[in-house]
Amino acid sequence: MGKEIWVVALLLSQALLLPIAQAAELHTERISGSAGDVLEDDPVGRLKVFVYNLPRKYNKKMVDKDSRCLTHMFATEIFMHRFLLSSAVRTLDPEEADWFYTPVYTTCDLTPGGHPLPFKSPRIMRSAIQYVAMNWPYWNRTDGADHFFVTPHDFGACFHYQEETAIQRGILHLLKRATLVQTFGQRNHVCLKEGSITVPPYAPPQKMQAHLVSPSTPRSIFVYFRGLFYDVNNDPEGGYYARGARASVWENFKSNPLFDISTDHPPTYYEDMQRSVFCLCPLGWAPWSPRLVEAVVFGCIPVIIADDIVLPFADAIPWEEIAVFVAEKDVPSLDTILTSIPAEVILRKQRLLANPSMKQAMLFPQPAQAGDAFHQILNGLARKLPHDRRVYLKPGEKVLNWTAGPIGDLKPW
């Protein structure tokens, strides 16, 4: 883009930002229709969940060993367990349960740098399922079809952070009949099981709350992004990471005055998002990241760059109305796409984002609150009831093959 075009674009953006800045104290707008009703559903009284009591080595002992598990983006599995232990939907009588939950923390095996290692995860999960099947009769009567598992790895129950390897592994065979609660969602992908409940990644609510700025603060940044553009450690040749979308953002807009983008992560990161109109949410190794949660919570319009992404709670959150979707191939035209959006469209998206129920649905607060992500998961489980009678196996019938999968996954844990 030539200097003259940049100047014109900058003037256009300033004209656009003026009414937005003047309308900083926005009224909220309720989500209309069935989506709004679903978002405000109360799951209590609509289902009962039995929580298996597993040995501590599968869950609590892991957190005791490394408390960093409580703050990384996969911590959903930990907080969902804690939530269910005191939830009104919990039943201590398995005979009356609609769903069975196995609390196993497959992402709480961290490198010194704090990144989850996926290599033991299939063995941990297999071991937990074997324990459940040996000590209670409920798994064996359905081969897990009335059980749900939280699998928040990058590629869910494929248990890996690199897509190529995840696809080769496929979903752990023992989970083929269970319902998966997972952050990963991409249409027509081997790692997205039909019937899965797609949830947001974990972002610490208290940390975000501590960085709130005044609602009257103008949104003076047009486009904002902080993060990697290249993952040189895991993808030295640059052929896989983000399918080239992040690299394209950097190469095309690193010198564009409309774009505040960098690999730096400043202490004002959260405040900067609240001063921005658009927040880029490009895919990385997986289609999603905590940026999506942060953008919604801070009222910054998410610009989602991840082809065929399946977004969290898509039957309750009207993503088409609150976000902007840009195809990966269209990244070089990002500036034109965003400056072409009418101010009234931007203002409506901001009013919807200002709705407290929208923000609440993306968070896992402690203690839990009405309408939060915990409750949205339960709503998703309730909508899958009653179970089809065909999920119950005949005496002696088996569907799952316990010896299926890579040889390494069959080793004891």
Side-chain angles (χ1 to χ4, degrees):
M1 182 184 283
K3 184 176 180 181
E4 294 81 6
I5 300 177
W6 272 351
V7 171
V8 172
L10 188 57
L11 290 172
L12 284 172
S13 72
Q14 288 174 339
L16 180 64
L17 287 168
L18 182 61
I20 295 170
Q22 290 172 338
E25 294 192 52
L26 292 163
H27 296 293
T28 65
E29 183 169 330
R30 186 185 183 276
I31 304 154
S32 61
S34 60
D37 296 336
V38 170
L39 198 61
E40 296 169 11
D41 270 353
D42 183 355
V44 176
R46 299 167 56 214
L47 78 166
K48 291 185 180 296
V49 176
F50 180 76
V51 180
Y52 285 117
N53 184 20
L54 300 186
R56 288 174 52 88
K57 71 174 185 175
Y58 291 105
N59 41 61
K60 297 176 183 178
K61 192 173 180 179
M62 291 183 170
V63 178
D64 292 342
K65 179 182 176 183
D66 197 333
S67 62
R68 292 177 300 173
C69 295
L70 293 167
T71 56
H72 68 49
M73 61 184 174
F74 300 138
T76 308
E77 60 187 359
I78 300 171
F79 292 112
M80 189 67 190
H81 182 200
R82 294 183 178 184
F83 163 72
L84 283 171
L85 290 177
S86 59
S87 171
V89 305
R90 183 189 182 192
T91 178
L92 300 179
D93 180 3
E95 292 296 332
E96 68 173 14
D98 301 299
W99 288 101
F100 296 82
Y101 167 63
T102 305
V104 51
Y105 303 166
T106 58
T107 68
C108 198
D109 182 19
L110 306 182
T111 66
H115 301 293
L117 286 169
F119 311 113
K120 294 181 184 177
S121 299
R123 291 158 54 195
I124 296 171
M125 183 64 80
R126 281 180 54 86
S127 176
I129 293 173
Q130 186 172 24
Y131 184 86
V132 162
M134 290 177 60
N135 288 278
W136 290 271
Y138 307 104
W139 172 274
N140 296 316
R141 69 183 186 183
T142 66
D143 263 2
D146 54 356
H147 289 55
F148 72 92
F149 295 81
V150 180
T151 56
H153 271 285
D154 277 330
F155 288 92
C158 287
F159 295 126
H160 211 275
Y161 60 89
Q162 290 185 323
E163 184 171 22
E164 187 176 0
T165 304
I167 291 173
Q168 290 173 352
R169 298 180 67 101
I171 294 172
L172 184 70
H173 193 74
L174 290 181
L175 296 175
K176 292 285 187 174
R177 284 174 64 83
T179 288
L180 303 181
V181 176
Q182 59 184 58
T183 42
F184 172 74
Q186 184 174 319
R187 293 180 188 86
N188 305 314
H189 197 286
V190 299
C191 297
L192 179 64
K193 183 180 180 293
E194 184 179 356
S196 294
I197 297 174
T198 309
V199 303
Y202 179 77
Q206 293 86 349
K207 184 178 178 182
M208 287 188 283
Q209 185 73 26
H211 289 266
L212 291 177
V213 302
S214 168
S216 62
T217 302
R219 292 190 177 268
S220 54
I221 301 170
F222 192 59
V223 182
Y224 188 74
F225 176 79
R226 291 293 185 273
L228 288 179
F229 296 99
Y230 302 91
D231 188 347
V232 293
N233 292 323
N234 294 300
D235 182 27
E237 297 182 4
Y240 295 98
Y241 183 61
R243 296 196 285 260
R246 292 197 187 198
S248 183
V249 169
W250 178 249
E251 296 303 333
N252 284 282
F253 304 110
K254 59 187 174 185
S255 301
N256 188 319
L258 297 178
F259 286 69
D260 187 345
I261 60 176
S262 171
T263 56
D264 296 334
H265 201 290
T268 57
Y269 174 68
Y270 286 153
E271 289 83 356
D272 292 342
M273 293 186 87
Q274 294 168 82
R275 298 185 184 102
S276 303
V277 178
F278 296 106
C279 288
L280 300 185
C281 298
L283 74 160
W285 283 113
W288 53 271
S289 79
R291 273 181 209 86
L292 187 64
V293 177
E294 294 160 352
V296 170
V297 169
F298 293 133
C300 186
I301 298 170
V303 180
I304 297 170
I305 307 169
D307 294 352
D308 297 319
I309 190 172
V310 176
L311 287 158
F313 308 132
D315 57 348
I317 295 178
W319 290 103
E320 293 288 344
E321 296 183 52
I322 66 172
V324 174
F325 291 81
V326 176
E328 293 165 25
K329 66 178 179 60
D330 293 335
V331 167
S333 303
L334 254 178
D335 51 351
T336 303
I337 292 169
L338 297 179
T339 55
S340 299
I341 300 174
E344 59 269 22
V345 173
I346 292 177
L347 288 169
R348 181 169 188 272
K349 291 181 185 295
Q350 290 178 328
R351 287 196 302 271
L352 286 168
L353 285 167
N355 189 318
S357 65
M358 186 85 70
K359 304 175 190 296
Q360 190 78 321
M362 296 292 284
L363 295 173
F364 295 92
Q366 297 87 50
Q369 300 170 16
D372 63 15
F374 297 117
H375 291 86
Q376 301 306 326
I377 293 172
L378 296 182
N379 283 333
L381 292 170
R383 287 191 288 274
K384 296 166 83 63
L385 297 175
H387 295 297
D388 191 300
R389 287 182 298 174
R390 289 173 293 181
V391 307
Y392 298 98
L393 305 180
K394 298 174 183 176
E397 182 183 4
K398 289 288 182 184
V399 176
L400 300 180
N401 178 2
W402 282 74
T403 60
I407 297 298
D409 290 355
L410 304 180
K411 295 178 181 178
W413 178 73

